[in-house]
Amino acid sequence: MTRRSRRALPAVLAALVLLAASVLVAVCAIQLALGETPLLSYESVAGRLSGTTWSALEVAVAGGVVAAVGLVLFLVAVVPGRARTAALDQHTAVSVRGLRNALRSAAQVDGVESAAVKVRRRRVRAVVRTRRSVVDGLGDTVRTALEHRVGEFALARPPQVVVRVKALRSTS
């Protein structure tokens, strides 16, 4: 069970463009029904389009733009997004955000000031910061703690744990 990210932004943009076109057509139709001058005159649009040939540069540019937008929307719909869950077994999963937060708290061993954790499909990267001047063994301690916490989750494919230790310079 792998949940993928939603495609909210492209869907909203496409919906807004279609909504704007629909509102424009509806406003013009209502204005015509009331006998007023429409916002966008049908005669001027039809006259302009009837005077344009299929071989005109404007038609080729408009066709290219529409084809490019269509291709981008198609690719956004077909290409899978980033996984939002990590599989525990065939039927259960844990959110990547929850796993990251649990690993960040596990990385807070003695001597660690702060920890930043990135969870990917095959790798967990942790960057820990310490005020210690001697950091020997701290990376191994954090790695052991992270591997233990990953083991507690019993992921279907446990990721490799990579730890990087940064020593902060003392301000005193």
Side-chain angles (χ1 to χ4, degrees), residues 36-118:
E36 295 180 10
T37 307
L39 183 64
L40 189 62
S41 171
Y42 173 77
E43 287 80 20
S44 67
V45 172
R48 172 118 178 162
L49 290 177
S50 67
T52 305
T53 63
W54 283 106
S55 60
L57 180 63
E58 297 88 8
V59 173
V61 169
V65 168
V66 168
V69 169
L71 180 63
V72 167
L73 289 175
F74 177 75
L75 289 175
V76 165
V78 172
V79 174
R82 182 178 289 177
R84 296 178 6 184
T85 59
L88 298 175
D89 60 29
Q90 204 171 24
H91 302 290
T92 57
V94 63
S95 74
V96 172
R97 179 182 291 173
L99 179 61
R100 182 187 67 227
N101 291 339
L103 293 175
R104 186 176 359 183
S105 69
Q108 295 289 338
V109 298
D110 185 37
V112 172
E113 284 287 316
S114 66
V117 177
K118 289 184 180 180

